[in-house]
Amino acid sequence: MKASLRHLRLVLAVAATGSVTRAAQQCHISQPAVTTAIAGIEATLGVPIFDRRPGGSSLTAAGHVLSLRIRRALAVLDPALADLSPRLIRTASMAQLNALIAVAETESFAAAARRLGLAQPTVHRAVSQIEREVGHHLFDRKPHGVIPTRAVRHLAMAARLAFVELDLALADVADLAGQEVGRVVIGAMPLSRSVLLGPAIALFRAEWRTLPVRVVEGPYAELVLGLRRGETDFLVGALRPETDDLAQEMLFQDEMAIVARPGHPALRGGPTLDALAGFAWVIAPEGTPARDHFTAMFSAADRALPLSLVETGSMALLTDLVGQTDHLGFVSARQVARDINAGRLAAVPFQPRGTSRPIGLTTRRGWCPTRAQAGMVAAIRLAAGQATAA
C-alpha cells in the first residue's frame, strides 16, 4: 500500500480522538492537512474509512480493517526505528525505508538502485537522510560493498514486515467489497508438494476462483528466510525445532520407507541393514529431517553410512533413478504410495525404526492472515485429514 507513514499515523489519531480537529491539534498540524491526508488514503482504497457526522468521525468497516493493519505495522516498525533514534518514528518515510531495505539486503548501493529502479544518488540520499537523524553511519564501507550493522538489519526486517501488513490491508478492504485482491504464497517442502497441495488448492478454488496462488520451492533455509521477511505467507512440510519468532502446527506424523525397483535383489527374503548398506542410495540433502533419520538408522546399528550416495530434494530424480537402477531410496512412505500402488516402485521389507517426523504448518508468530490466506490454511488442514484417513 503506497501511503505516507505520517498519513497512516493520522488515521489512528482521528480514530482515537473521533475528530479531525482534535487529531490535528494532537499531531500539531492544520485541520486541512489532516483532511487532505485522509482523503488521499480513501482515494487509494476506493472506499471511505470514516463516517463524518456533526458529532465527529467514526471508522467504517474498511476503516476498522485498515486501522488494525496500521497498528500491527507500527507495532513492528516503531520499536526498530526507536532502537536507532526515537526521532525516526516521526521523520522516517517509506521511500527512505525502502532504500534502506534494498541496500541492507544487496549490500550494495548500485545493486539497490537497480532493484528499486532508481538512480544511485537517489538511494544514497535516502539512506543519508536516515543517517543524519541517527547521527552516525548505518553501513560499514568495505572494498566489496557495504555491510549493515545489526540494528540496521533488524530495522530492514521490521520495515519489510510492516509493509507486508499494509499491503494486506488492501486485500482486507477488497474482501469487504467481495473482490479478490492479493495472492497466497506458500513455501512448500517435498512431502507437501506431492501429498497435500494438489488437493488443498482444489478445495481452495471452490471459493477463491481467481486469487493467484504461488508455490515457492527450495531448501528449508531459503524458505524460512522468505517467511521471516514476509515474502512467503506460511510453510508446509516437515517441522523443525521451535524458535521464538515462528509458530508451528502439526498436521500428522509421517514415516520413512526404503524403496526399490520391482525385482530388486533387496526385495527377496528379509534383508538386513548390513545387506542394504552394500547398495547405492538416493537420499535427502544434509540438514533435512529425512537425512537426519537416514544417518540415525545406521548410527543406531553402529554402522558407517553406505559409500555410494546421491543427495537430492527432487522426487522426480529419486523415482527415476530408483525405478531404473539398483539404487535404493530413503523417502517418505506417503510420497511414494502412488508409485508403489502403480507398480513403479516397491517397498523393501525392512522397516526403519524411529523415523517418525511431524509434518505441519510454520508461520510467523502472531501472523494475522487475510480471509483468503486463512482459507488456504483451512484447505491444507482438510487435505491433511483426508490424507491421514486414506
Side-chain angles (χ1 to χ4, degrees):
M1 178 179 176
K2 293 182 179 180
S4 162
L5 287 173
R6 294 179 186 177
H7 292 176
L8 294 174
R9 294 180 193 278
L10 290 175
V11 172
L12 298 186
V14 175
T17 61
S19 164
V20 171
T21 301
R22 287 193 290 271
Q25 293 169 346
Q26 184 183 85
C27 298
H28 307 291
I29 61 175
S30 69
Q31 182 175 328
V34 177
T35 301
T36 300
I38 298 299
I41 292 173
E42 290 179 327
T44 298
L45 295 175
V47 294
I49 57 176
F50 286 102
D51 283 325
R52 297 167 179 81
R53 299 176 181 177
S57 298
S58 59
L59 289 168
T60 63
H64 276 292
V65 297
L66 173 63
S67 62
L68 169 64
R69 292 295 180 184
I70 295 173
R71 287 195 297 271
R72 287 179 57 84
L74 298 182
V76 173
L77 178 61
D78 285 354
L81 290 169
D83 282 347
L84 283 174
S85 170
R87 283 178 51 83
L88 287 176
I89 295 176
R90 300 191 304 275
T91 63
S93 70
M94 282 193 176
Q96 292 169 352
L97 292 174
N98 274 321
L100 185 85
I101 292 169
V103 176
E105 291 180 355
T106 63
E107 297 187 350
S108 163
F109 280 96
R114 287 193 297 272
R115 176 195 284 191
L116 297 173
L118 300 172
Q120 188 170 332
T122 302
V123 176
H124 265 289
R125 183 164 57 253
V127 172
S128 296
Q129 288 166 344
I130 297 180
E131 289 179 329
R132 281 197 294 273
E133 292 289 348
V134 175
H136 57 77
H137 289 300
L138 302 177
F139 296 87
D140 294 327
R141 273 67 174 176
K142 302 291 184 181
H144 60 278
V146 292
I147 307 300
T149 63
R150 185 175 182 179
V152 170
R153 288 189 186 279
H154 176 59
L155 175 56
M157 184 74 79
R160 258 192 170 279
L161 293 177
F163 294 165
V164 168
E165 290 289 344
L166 297 177
D167 286 340
L168 294 180
L170 296 175
D172 288 336
V173 171
D175 185 59
L176 291 174
Q179 301 170 350
E180 296 186 12
V181 172
R183 64 179 180 176
V184 177
V185 183
I186 306 167
M189 287 166 265
L191 175 62
S192 66
R193 295 197 297 269
S194 58
V195 175
L196 292 179
L197 285 186
I201 291 172
L203 291 167
F204 177 80
R205 276 286 175 253
E207 180 175 1
W208 303 91
R209 299 188 180 278
T210 62
L211 192 83
V213 176
R214 182 184 175 205
V215 179
V216 180
E217 304 173 14
Y220 178 78
E222 293 180 9
L223 293 178
V224 80
L225 176 60
L227 178 65
R228 287 188 164 114
R229 289 166 53 168
E231 298 167 344
T232 303
D233 298 325
F234 57 88
L235 308 185
V236 189
L239 301 181
R240 265 62 171 185
E242 291 275 358
T243 59
D244 291 341
D245 62 330
L246 300 178
Q248 298 187 130
E249 173 190 343
M250 189 181 76
L251 297 173
F252 58 82
Q253 290 282 350
D254 182 51
E255 297 287 345
M256 304 301 293
I258 300 172
V259 293
R261 64 170 175 81
H264 193 287
L267 300 176
R268 294 192 290 269
T272 64
L273 190 61
D274 284 348
L276 296 178
F279 292 100
W281 289 75
V282 186
I283 60 175
E286 289 189 4
T288 62
R291 176 59 177 272
D292 292 342
H293 283 313
F294 179 78
T295 302
M297 179 174 66
F298 284 91
S299 296
D302 198 26
R303 278 203 57 89
L305 292 178
L307 295 177
S308 181
L309 299 175
V310 176
E311 300 181 7
T312 180
S314 168
M315 272 300 298
L317 177 59
L318 183 146
T319 54
D320 283 349
L321 193 53
V322 171
Q324 298 174 26
T325 71
D326 278 348
H327 282 73
L328 298 176
F330 188 78
V331 65
S332 158
R334 292 179 188 273
Q335 282 180 277
V336 290
R338 293 179 194 171
D339 294 289
I340 291 174
N341 292 337
R344 291 185 292 269
L345 295 177
V348 175
F350 181 93
Q351 180 56 51
R353 296 181 180 179
T355 63
S356 178
R357 57 181 186 153
I359 305 299
L361 297 161
T362 303
T363 65
R364 294 182 297 278
R365 197 171 294 280
W367 179 51
C368 180
T370 64
R371 198 169 71 86
Q373 291 166 343
M376 179 60 81
V377 168
I380 289 173
R381 290 181 181 132
L382 183 56
Q386 293 171 345
T388 302

